[in-house]
Structure formats: C-alpha cells, structure tokens
Amino acid sequence: NNHLYKKTPLLYELFRLVLTWILGCRLGDRRVGLLAAALLAVATLSVQQAHYYTVDSLFATVALLGVLLCLRALEHDHWRDWLASGVIVGLAAGLRINGLILMAPVLCAAVLATRGTTAQALSRGTHLRRTVGRCALAGGTALAVLLCLQPYMLLDPQLYVGHGGVGNLRNAAAIATGELPRIWTLYDSAQTPYWFHLTNLLLHATGPGLQITGLAGLVWFAFRRRSGDLICLAFVLTFVLLIGRLEAKNIRYLTPVIPFLCISAGALLVRGTEDAGRIWRRLALTMVIICLVSGALYAASYVRVFGQTDPRLVALDHTRDLFAPGARLGYEQTGVQMVALTSGDDFVWKPDPLGLMFNLNAFLLAADKVHMAYSWLESVDGVVIVDVARARHFAAVAAEYPVEAGFYQQLYAGQAGFEIVADVDQGPGLGPLALNFRSTDPSFDGFDHPRVTVLRRTDADLQRLSSEWISRLRLAPTSLDTDLLSASRALQTGDMETSRRYLDAATRNWPQHKLPTLLRCELLLREGRVAESNELWNRFSDELGPEAGLFWQHEILGLEFAGKTLNQLGAHTIGERCLAAATTLRN
C-alpha cells in the first residue's frame, strides 16, 4: 500500500500524458497529439510533480479531462455530456475550490453549441434559454458533487469558511491573497504579478523552448479561433488570471497550464511543417528539435536530484561528525525543518524565534527582535540553516524586515558569533555540469534539493554583538526605536508637542506598526483628551483581525508584547489596557 501511495502522482502524470495526446488529436491530428505528449513528458515541472504527493498533479489531470468533456459536449450537445462536464467541475472544485473556474470552458462550449447548431432557426431569447439551460445543468451538477465531496460546506459552513483552524478555506484564501502574511509568501510578494509567472516561473517549469513556442501557440489559437481553441483558451486565461493575482506564486500552481502549452506548441509547429515555404518548414522542424532536445536535457538534469541523498540528510551526517552527543542545536521550525529527519540522535534541538518575530512584527521594536534572535544563538552550540526555510524569503523583502534579513546575512557572513563548518548545496546537472536554480521560486528546489548550512559557535561575545547591532539600527535615518524612545522621553517630561512630532515621524515611516498608535493613545490621555484616546483605541482594535470582533492568534500575543513594551516606555495606562485585552481574548 505504501508503495502504491508513492506511485500515485506518477500515475496521474501518465494519465495526463494520455489525455494530452487525445486533446492534441482533437485539436489537430495524431502528429499534434504525439508531439504535445512528447513535450509534456520532458517538461521539468511534470517530472517534478510526478515525485510529489500534492493535489496539483491530480487537479491538473481532472482539469484536462474537464476540457475534453467540454469538447465532447460541444460536438454532441446531449444532456449527458453537460451532466458529465458538471461532475468533473464538481470533482475539480472538491480538490481545490478554484476548480470552479472550469465553468468558464463549460460556458464557452454552451455558447458555441447554441451558435453552431441553431443560429438561423432560433430567436435570440431561445439562444439565451438554451445556453442558460446547459450551464444550469452543468453548474447544478457541479454544486451537488462539490457538496458531496465537501459536506461541511453545507452541514457546518462556519467550520469550512469561517476563520480559524488548520486547512480552513478562509484562512487558506487569506494566506493566498496576502491578507494573512506568512514567511513562505514573502519572496512571492516581492515579485511582479503575471510577469513573474510568464518569465521566471514558466521558464523554470518548461525551459525556454517550450515556454516561447507554447505562448506563441496560444496566441495562434486566439487568431485561429476554432471552437476547441476557444474552449482551451477559456480555461487557460481564466486560470492564469486567477492564480496570477495571488500573493502566493508557487511554481506548482502552473501545473494545469503546462499540457495546454504543449498542445498549442505542437499545433503551431505541425502547422509550420505544412507550410508551403521551405524556409518555414525548416524553421518549424528546427523548433521541434530544439523544444524536444532542450526539454529532455533540462528534465534529465533535474532527474539527477532524485538519485541523490537529500541535502538535509547529508547535513545531518556532517552534524553528527562535528558535534558531540548532547550538543544543543538550533533549527528553523518550518515545513522543511531538520528535526523531522533525525532518528536516534542525542542532540537537544531548539527551535528558532524567527517565526514568532515575523508574526509579532507590528508589535515589536527592532531591539526586541535582536534580543530574541541573539538569545536563541546564546542557547545553542550550533545552528542548521535551510536556505528556503526563511533566509531567502526575508532577503527578498529586506527593506520591510531589516532585522530578520540582517540576522541571516550576519550568520552567513560569520558576523553573528558562528562560523560555517558545512555547506551542502547539491542540485540538478548533467554529468560534471551543475545547474544553478537558486534564482527562482524557493518552492521549486525547497522540497528536494535545498541548500543546507551547518554553523558552529565561536568564542565571540554575543552580547556585545547584539548591543552593537542595536546601536547601528538606531542610527538609521528612519529608526522606529529611536522615534518611539524619543517620544516616550518627551512624554515623561511633559513635552507633548515634541512627543507628538516623533510619533508623527514613526507613523509616517512605519504606517503598519501598532506601537506608534498605542503610544499616541497614551499621549491623548495625558493631555486630557479621553474621548479622542478612546476613539483611537477603538479604531486600532477594529483594524485587528479578519473582521470586527475577531482577532488572529498572533495579534493576541502581540497585544501582550505591546503591553510590556509600553510599560517599559512609561505608557502604563495603555500598556495595562493591552495586557488586559490580551488576557480577555485569550480566555
């Protein structure tokens, strides 16, 4: 059973090869189908997904089957075909709620079926009723199938679409859209929507040959405007428009698009070989060879990853040689953490505070973050860093998270009291040649060949390094800590105007941070403007959480940290109010 479980993604990929061949034959001929299947077989993203047990591979297969059924429904226009299309839409939505976008090709097929068969015999109203009827049958069936697969949408909607819980749809949507920030979306948030997909992600997913030819083929489909072409474009465009605007831009999200790129490239290249001009035929044949050969070489180089020992296991072997039993080792508590791979090792593993620092970002001073990071380093003898866990994400948004990004930069540079004693960086390649994939989405290499670095503590004075770093941070032109400390000192001496000026600067430079607002509440109270202070507090509370009256868990903890910081700054009234609010919400 375990063996079959591991082979399931491969079965999805093989079935999708067959479906790609069938769809290619439907949109062209057997040459198109064969070439499309060959291109898909050597597409690197397909090779990678065949080794992952994620929903993307199955979802892509179901989506391809859905488009095929739309073509059949267009051809036969029988109620059973529209019913079958609805079943596939519901199945796709059960896998991923965005599978509902398969209704776009269904709608396209319904419109084309009406126009193609009865355009001269029916009135405009009858056209509309028949189109709506087909879509209603498919849509109603899709909804019924979805509710069967996801019954809690009907039995307990709050559990399914309300806030809270692991795997909750509302939370997943909040993360994907950027409403609920996560470390693993930071790298993606720094990229340009759509352009990043078309240039970077698609390039690494297919290689330049298929990328260029496939996009050109989709443009050719738009000009050719056959019914099958339009149905395929309806799915591809709708899907790309949806995933392109998401904050999360994982390369695996492109999996459903790759077969259509292969089909459009195959159709375009086969059409080129049929052109009367000798030059065009030679050019098309050359592109066929380039796409297949370059794709095959690219995929073969990636396959080498799966024949190597996971870099994290290699790093663990180094760790066993470098550290004595009972050593205290720091690790990053993420989905690619090291602890999950250890077995029988007599090490004391201590999780990093970077996740907590990130979640409490809007409630912490820079000095608080430095103390948290260096307190962790002081408690360990060594650290094992996986580059795709946090380092590459924070590096992409260093201006927004200077402490977190600077922390990793100092670690790698040997400026944090630790030195690199092992660096495992093994990736794709052919023979003696190695390919560097470190410039794209971290998830592309994060699950099978991340870079893992082992560091060992030196005799450096970590407290001194921590103090020096805090001093440098406070000398920055726009320092939140300096502004708030200056505002606090002015508040204690009764210089309200100076305090307000520093708070204005802090709010202007760090508009998302909560401490300037909270300290301003204290300022208004000191001035006797109680109503204004309470109004500002209420406005601050309303901005927390996903909606009025609800709070994210990290915000409750953030209020607790903010209360302690405000008490240290002398803002005791608002500080105690934050602590009381955190206690009430936690209970």
Side-chain angles (χ1 to χ4, degrees):
N1 289 338
N2 187 44
H3 181 72
L4 179 61
Y5 172 84
K6 293 179 179 179
K7 296 299 182 182
T8 302
L10 178 60
L11 297 178
Y12 297 154
E13 294 296 331
L14 292 175
F15 185 42
R16 190 155 70 253
L17 279 176
V18 175
L19 294 178
T20 301
W21 176 74
I22 295 173
L23 184 55
C25 293
R26 293 288 297 270
L27 297 181
D29 54 27
R30 292 195 175 189
R31 293 174 299 171
V32 174
L34 182 60
L35 180 55
L39 291 172
L40 181 62
V42 297
T44 302
L45 185 60
S46 296
V47 173
Q48 184 195 61
Q49 291 303 305
H51 292 78
Y52 288 174
Y53 197 87
T54 66
V55 72
D56 301 274
S57 185
L58 178 57
F59 178 80
T61 303
V62 173
L64 191 56
L65 180 59
V67 172
L68 271 170
L69 287 177
C70 286
L71 291 179
R72 179 180 174 81
L74 173 62
E75 180 180 347
H76 298 285
D77 197 17
H78 194 279
W79 67 269
R80 286 193 297 266
D81 299 316
W82 301 107
L83 185 70
S85 297
V87 170
I88 294 300
V89 174
L91 178 58
L95 294 169
R96 266 198 175 142
I97 196 64
N98 58 18
L100 290 174
I101 65 173
L102 273 173
M103 283 302 299
V106 171
L107 175 60
C108 181
V111 172
L112 292 173
T114 301
R115 291 177 58 188
T117 59
T118 58
Q120 297 178 351
L122 300 178
S123 64
R124 179 175 299 178
T126 306
H127 276 283
L128 180 61
R129 285 195 298 272
R130 290 203 171 189
T131 301
V132 171
R134 296 182 181 100
C135 292
L137 176 59
T141 304
L143 181 60
V145 172
L146 175 59
L147 291 177
C148 289
L149 296 174
Q150 302 286 354
Y152 283 102
M153 294 184 72
L154 184 62
L155 300 177
D156 191 350
Q158 184 62 28
L159 178 65
Y160 194 76
V161 298
H163 287 285
V166 179
N168 179 273
L169 177 63
R170 187 75 175 273
N171 280 8
I175 293 172
T177 58
E179 178 187 356
L180 183 59
R182 285 291 182 263
I183 293 177
W184 62 82
T185 64
L186 290 180
Y187 181 91
D188 301 333
S189 67
Q191 314 307 321
T192 305
Y194 300 110
W195 181 252
F196 181 64
H197 293 79
L198 291 176
T199 57
N200 198 313
L201 295 184
L202 195 57
L203 172 65
H204 287 272
T206 64
L210 179 55
Q211 175 198 24
I212 297 171
T213 312
L215 291 175
L218 290 177
V219 173
W220 183 58
F221 273 9
F223 281 100
R224 192 170 69 167
R225 289 187 297 179
R226 293 180 182 175
S227 297
D229 300 344
L230 296 178
I231 290 174
C232 291
L233 287 173
F235 171 74
V236 172
L237 293 178
T238 307
F239 185 79
V240 170
L241 287 174
L242 173 65
I243 66 167
R245 63 180 297 272
L246 297 179
E247 189 86 349
K249 302 178 179 66
N250 290 337
I251 193 170
R252 59 188 174 88
Y253 294 168
L254 290 177
T255 306
V257 176
I258 304 304
F260 296 95
L261 283 175
C262 296
I263 293 169
S264 63
L268 179 62
L269 293 174
V270 169
R271 176 66 181 87
T273 61
E274 296 172 345
D275 195 280
R278 179 181 299 179
I279 295 178
W280 287 110
R281 286 201 303 271
R282 289 181 176 178
L283 179 60
L285 288 172
T286 301
M287 286 304 302
V288 169
I289 296 172
I290 290 176
C291 288
L292 288 175
V293 173
S294 63
L297 291 175
Y298 182 37
S301 69
Y302 197 89
V303 168
R304 188 171 79 172
V305 169
F306 303 108
Q308 298 173 336
T309 304
D310 190 292
R312 290 166 293 180
L313 295 176
V314 176
L316 278 175
D317 289 337
H318 288 301
T319 303
R320 296 183 185 107
D321 296 335
L322 293 166
F323 295 92
R328 300 165 300 170
L329 300 179
Y331 74 98
E332 298 158 301
Q333 198 170 14
T334 70
V336 293
Q337 62 185 357
M338 302 293 297
V339 173
L341 301 177
T342 60
S343 176
D345 294 312
D346 190 19
F347 295 131
V348 178
W349 293 92
K350 293 182 174 293
D352 72 317
L354 273 295
L356 181 63
M357 289 163 51
F358 171 79
N359 288 330
L360 303 181
N361 180 60
F363 298 91
L364 295 178
L365 296 173
D368 296 330
K369 294 183 179 181
V370 173
H371 284 309
M372 292 171 69
Y374 269 86
S375 295
W376 176 56
L377 292 181
E378 288 179 352
S379 69
V380 297
D381 304 308
V383 176
V384 184
I385 300 296
V386 183
D387 71 324
V388 295
R390 307 199 193 280
R392 286 171 61 184
H393 300 283
F394 283 126
V397 288
E400 299 176 41
Y401 297 91
V403 174
E404 292 84 347
F407 174 70
Y408 279 105
Q409 184 179 8
Q410 292 178 22
L411 269 179
Y412 282 121
Q415 300 171 351
F418 283 71
E419 61 179 354
I420 296 177
V421 290
D423 194 10
V424 183
D425 187 6
Q426 54 190 37
L430 286 173
L433 302 177
L435 301 180
N436 181 13
F437 285 0
R438 304 297 176 191
S439 62
T440 187
D441 168 41
S443 71
F444 187 52
D445 50 22
F447 295 107
D448 48 36
H449 61 285
R451 177 189 175 191
V452 185
T453 305
V454 182
L455 302 101
R456 183 168 52 196
R457 185 170 176 174
T458 65
D459 57 358
D461 186 348
L462 296 186
Q463 291 187 358
R464 178 182 59 81
L465 293 176
S466 173
S467 299
E468 291 176 351
W469 189 12
I470 292 174
S471 298
R472 292 195 302 270
L473 288 172
R474 289 178 176 173
L475 292 176
T478 55
S479 171
L480 174 69
D481 290 31
T482 300
D483 288 338
L484 292 184
L485 289 172
S486 299
S488 173
R489 285 192 292 267
L491 185 65
Q492 303 312 311
T493 60
D495 188 352
M496 303 304 178
E497 188 59 35
T498 299
S499 180
R500 181 176 290 104
R501 187 171 66 253
Y502 279 112
L503 287 177
D504 289 342
T507 302
R508 182 171 58 254
N509 295 324
W510 306 91
Q512 303 302 321
H513 210 280
K514 309 302 182 185
L515 287 178
T517 299
L518 293 171
L519 198 55
R520 193 181 297 274
C521 287
E522 183 79 17
L523 172 65
L524 292 173
L525 284 178
R526 299 283 182 92
E527 292 179 331
R529 299 156 66 179
V530 178
E532 293 181 48
S533 177
N534 291 336
E535 180 182 354
L536 182 59
W537 169 266
N538 292 333
R539 191 161 61 246
F540 159 78
S541 300
D542 291 341
E543 291 175 354
L544 298 178
E547 55 190 50
L550 292 177
F551 291 81
W552 300 112
Q553 287 298 318
H554 68 270
E555 291 174 336
I556 299 174
L557 184 59
L559 285 172
E560 185 176 329
F561 271 81
K564 296 176 181 178
T565 301
L566 290 170
N567 280 327
Q568 293 174 358
L569 293 175
H572 300 292
T573 302
I574 299 300
E576 293 301 321
R577 185 182 296 181
C578 288
L579 292 174
T583 301
T584 301
L585 292 169
R586 194 182 303 279
N587 296 334

